[in-house]
Structures are given as structure tokens and as C-alpha cells.
Amino acid sequence: NSWTQRADFPGSARYGAVAFGANNKGYIGCGYDGNYLKDFYAFNPSSNSWDQIISIGGSKRMGATSFVIDNVAYVVCGQNNGEYVDDFWKYDAQSGQWTQLRDITDTSDDDYDDDYSIVRTNGVAFVIDGAAYFACGESGSVRSDTWKYYPSTDLWENVSKFKGTARTATVSFSTGERGFVVTGKSSTYRFDDIWELHPYEYDDDEY
């Protein structure tokens, strides 16, 4: 029950970065250090060492959100120079490659994204039974809408909204079968509550 300092992060000091764990390593990248960033680094805990890896494709960004499904990491949303980012990427830690997925706004001629309203910054995500749930954050105002991501089809579904007060800058965690959203803020108010999603129960106030 103690902390031990590890090797310092080799990239520039920054905030608004995004991080995830996959393939027994920790990864951190993007963020803002006076400029918007897209570089990425991997930490190997067994050797206490960092390596710079290939940068995420597409937009530089800060305030992005990540989640991991079956050891594949996904990075979504964020902002770049005041614009909300709509490109979406996954990282295969075994191959070390980034792959671009479908955009998260209505950029195609197909019907699947006609109602997409996913773009934002400082959202939060967790995984239950192999699907990701993405909620909260801000895009001009704080958000409570929730989207479910299916990796097998690379499609998003608008599902039951977060039932707490709309908020940004929350944290989340999941056991793999249960997902929780904790704390956050709205304007100058700071929250200390915790909420659990029940994804398979009927909700008569769905959206």
C-alpha cells in the first residue's frame, strides 16, 4: 500500500492528454503544451522505461477519451484549436498500428450517421460486455447524452442518457460487467456523487 516513483514521462509536460492500458503497457499521448499535440508514448512497467510510438493519425487533440475492448484501444473526440474533432481511431498494441474508423459526425452519404451528435471534449467512457458507453463532456454546454459503441460494426447508438446532472471532466471505471461515472463539474460546481449504468434494464425516459 505504497507509491514508488517511476521513470519520468519523456514527452513535453502537458495537460488534456489521453491514456490507456493495453498489452501489459501504459500509453499516453495527445494533449496541450502551448500547442495541440498528437505524439504518443508507451510505458513498459517491467523495464521501467518509455518508448515513443507512432503518433495517432488525423487531428491533433486535447480532451480526448479512450477505452479498450479486447486489448484494442480506441481514442475518440477532443478539440483542436477550438474545433471539435470528428475523426476516430483505434490502436492495436500488438502490431503497433493505428487504424482510422468511421467519423463520429454526419460526414457520409449513408444513413447510419444522420443522427450522430457525439463530438465533444472531456467525455468519459467505460466498457461493459464488449461494448463501450460514452457520456458526459462538453460542446458549448455540458452533456448528459450517452452513446454505445459496437466494435464489430463500428457503429454508435444513442442510448439512455446519464441520469445525474449534466457534467464534464468526470472519471469512470468498469468491472467489465458494471460501469460507473464519478464526480465531474458543471461551471463552477463540483460533484461528489457516483452513478452506475444498468444497460439491460428498461428506461421509460430513455433519451
Side-chain angles (χ1 to χ4, degrees), residues 142-175:
V142 290
R143 305 278 294 263
S144 61
D145 56 317
T146 301
W147 294 81
K148 182 178 181 179
Y149 178 70
Y150 301 89
S152 60
T153 60
D154 188 22
L155 294 174
W156 296 82
E157 177 188 4
N158 191 203
V159 296
S160 179
K161 68 180 181 181
F162 174 69
K163 289 302 186 290
T165 304
R167 65 191 65 190
T168 186
T170 66
V171 294
S172 68
F173 60 91
S174 172
T175 66

Side-chain angles (χ1 to χ4, degrees), residues 28-203:
I28 185 170
C30 299
Y32 186 79
D33 68 352
N35 295 292
Y36 290 88
L37 303 168
K38 61 188 297 185
D39 53 339
F40 252 88
Y41 301 81
F43 178 72
N44 186 335
S46 62
S47 62
N48 188 29
S49 62
W50 291 90
D51 291 302
Q52 186 169 5
I53 63 170
I54 187 171
S55 298
I56 189 173
S59 302
K60 299 177 181 180
R61 68 192 74 201
M62 64 173 288
T65 303
S66 67
F67 53 88
V68 178
I69 301 175
D70 294 331
N71 216 34
V72 175
Y74 299 78
V75 175
V76 63
C77 290
Q79 64 174 323
N80 181 7
N81 287 315
E83 299 292 330
Y84 294 104
V85 174
D86 62 11
D87 55 342
F88 178 33
W89 295 81
K90 70 177 180 180
Y91 179 73
D92 186 325
Q94 290 191 330
S95 69
Q97 297 298 313
W98 291 95
T99 302
Q100 187 169 8
L101 302 169
R102 302 178 200 252
D103 288 347
I104 56 168
T105 192
D106 184 9
T107 58
S108 81
D109 295 328
D110 298 322
D111 295 337
Y112 72 87
D113 57 0
D114 287 352
D115 297 321
Y116 276 10
S117 178
I118 303 169
V119 293
R120 68 195 70 185
T121 187
N122 295 324
V124 68
F126 51 81
V127 174
I128 299 177
D129 292 339
Y133 295 84
F134 177 65
C136 301
E138 57 191 293
S139 57
S141 59
V142 290
R143 305 278 294 263
S144 61
D145 56 317
T146 301
W147 294 81
K148 182 178 181 179
Y149 178 70
Y150 301 89
S152 60
T153 60
D154 188 22
L155 294 174
W156 296 82
E157 177 188 4
N158 191 203
V159 296
S160 179
K161 68 180 181 181
F162 174 69
K163 289 302 186 290
T165 304
R167 65 191 65 190
T168 186
T170 66
V171 294
S172 68
F173 60 91
S174 172
T175 66
E177 298 178 349
R178 302 173 67 185
F180 302 86
V181 173
V182 190
T183 67
K185 70 173 186 174
S186 177
S187 186
T188 59
Y189 189 84
R190 292 345 189 225
F191 297 98
D192 60 3
D193 50 352
I194 178 170
W195 294 80
E196 179 182 358
L197 175 67
H198 297 243
Y200 305 120
E201 294 183 12
Y202 175 74
D203 186 350

Side-chain angles (χ1 to χ4, degrees), residues 5-16:
Q5 187 170 1
R6 308 290 280 170
D8 288 347
F9 174 68
S12 61
R14 65 192 67 190
Y15 66 90

